[in-house]
Amino acid sequence: MSHAWYHVENEADIPSPALLFFRSRIEHNLRLMLKIAGDPNRLRPHVKTHKTAEIIAMQLKLGITRFKAATIAETEMCAAVGATDVLLAMPCVGINAHRLAELALKFPDTQFSSIADDMDTVRFLASAAQQHNVTLGVYLELDCGMSRTGIFPGDEAAILAHAMKDTPRLQFRGLHAYDGHIHDDSLDVRRERCNAAFEPVLQFRCRLQGEGIIVKELVAGGSPTFGIHATYPDRTLSPGTTVLWDFGYGDKYPADLPFQPAAMLLARVISKPGKNRITLDLGHKSVAPENPHPRVRFEELPDAVALMQSEEHLVLETDRAHEFTIGQALHGLPRHVCPTVSMHGEAYVIEGGQTTERWPITARNRLITV
């Protein structure tokens, strides 16, 4: 008898709600990332999606040694597993600059860097590096259209790049430009918008090199534009969601980004409150709530309509409610997997249709040791 890919033989032993990681699918996605990139040295995958040390270890075995992170905890997790180079793609101000410097002391075999788009941020980094007697890398954060962080490529950005290069205890590493605003369904539209967004970035890189600044690396893009940037050999690629995937991206990019959903939510029917209704133990504390419904798509009930969701409950409407019994398990794909993962303390790892182990979501916490 053949089973659906999400079938788990011993799921009765798994308390719900639960996060499931399907190892063979993660391995497939990592291989596909390598195939698209062409070389592990071109990859600097973002770890914010999975926040899991065991997945970092899987990537290291494939020759991927550089990573991108969004928090100090994620940065520390990468170094603790053996990453040689970690870029914290978040401006480090206040005590966080000192925390990054402390990581450089604790893990001397790892190169630590951060981003900056303002001279005050540069001063925070430099002061922390000088006080702890370490050298920190710094990337100039460029705004390529998202207008979240970054400085537009131009005269002010050039002045800031020169200041970074000349600041003691800081090492200018290159440019970082994230195009998270580009997520059109059409590959042609995505490519056109991506190329237009990066033209000023590329011109600015040429300007800096002409002014004597060595730009060692251009870290470009996220998951939707991963394949587009991969066609240009002068860019480092930093997809994140590609490791686990979700139906939010899966529905939009089935052709050019054929990654497999590798994370699933296990929920159970806990009530049947009226005709054509079932209630699951999957509230908005267990799945990312920032999107409209459906926030999760159930494989057994893909057409079910979410009527309400509270902290621990999800009420679904379906004319198939009579088919489901109290205690029955349902398997759901999240729309947005990244914040969904961070809501769980651990993931149950599925191999060969069995739960084999549990992986802690290590960097779910904001602080590990530093």
Side-chain angles (χ1 to χ4, degrees), residues 10-32:
N10 58 337
E11 70 181 15
D13 298 330
I14 303 175
S16 57
L19 175 66
L20 312 180
F21 281 174
F22 291 80
R23 183 169 188 138
S24 65
R25 286 179 160 245
I26 294 175
E27 291 170 345
H28 168 273
N29 291 342
L30 295 180
R31 290 193 299 269
L32 182 55

Side-chain angles (χ1 to χ4, degrees), residues 74-111:
E74 291 172 6
T75 304
E76 180 174 353
M77 174 188 70
C78 292
V81 180
T84 63
D85 188 317
V86 187
L87 166 59
L88 175 56
M90 179 69 70
C92 278
V93 300
I95 194 173
N96 281 346
H98 291 275
R99 294 172 70 199
L100 187 65
E102 288 176 32
L103 286 181
L105 280 176
K106 185 173 183 178
F107 300 98
D109 295 330
T110 301
Q111 167 73 60

Side-chain angles (χ1 to χ4, degrees), residues 92-236:
C92 278
V93 300
I95 194 173
N96 281 346
H98 291 275
R99 294 172 70 199
L100 187 65
E102 288 176 32
L103 286 181
L105 280 176
K106 185 173 183 178
F107 300 98
D109 295 330
T110 301
Q111 167 73 60
F112 293 96
S113 303
S114 185
I115 61 171
D117 59 8
D118 187 279
M119 195 59 209
D120 283 342
T121 309
V122 174
R123 294 189 186 99
F124 272 115
L125 280 174
S127 176
Q130 291 159 15
Q131 288 184 46
H132 292 276
N133 198 29
V134 297
T135 297
L136 296 175
V138 61
Y139 289 72
L140 180 60
E141 171 80 346
L142 295 178
D143 181 4
C144 62
M146 193 172 184
S147 300
R148 184 178 66 181
T149 57
I151 184 171
F152 186 78
D155 292 342
E156 290 186 15
I159 293 170
L160 186 56
H162 281 277
M164 290 174 169
K165 179 180 74 71
D166 296 334
T167 299
R169 288 293 177 182
L170 294 186
Q171 180 186 60
F172 182 75
R173 299 287 306 280
L175 306 175
H176 177 264
Y178 175 58
D179 52 13
H181 60 295
I182 301 174
H183 41 71
D184 305 86
D185 294 18
S186 165
L187 175 58
D188 289 338
V189 174
R190 249 180 300 141
R191 183 184 294 112
E192 181 179 356
R193 292 188 65 200
C194 178
N195 289 339
F198 271 78
E199 184 58 33
V201 174
L202 300 177
Q203 292 177 2
F204 182 72
R205 178 174 61 180
C206 290
R207 171 181 174 171
L208 290 185
Q209 292 171 336
E211 294 176 0
I213 297 180
I214 298 173
V215 182
K216 296 180 180 179
E217 189 178 9
L218 168 57
V219 183
S223 294
T225 55
F226 172 35
I228 298 166
H229 288 296
T231 63
Y232 301 99
D234 59 348
R235 304 176 195 180
T236 298

Side-chain angles (χ1 to χ4, degrees), residues 16 18 41-42 67 147 158-159 189 207 226 237 242 271-272 295 328 337:
S16 57
N41 293 320
R42 294 199 63 202
F67 298 88
S147 300
I159 293 170
V189 174
R207 171 181 174 171
F226 172 35
L237 314 167
T242 48
S271 181
K272 300 179 71 173
R295 295 164 180 162
Q328 185 169 346
V337 70

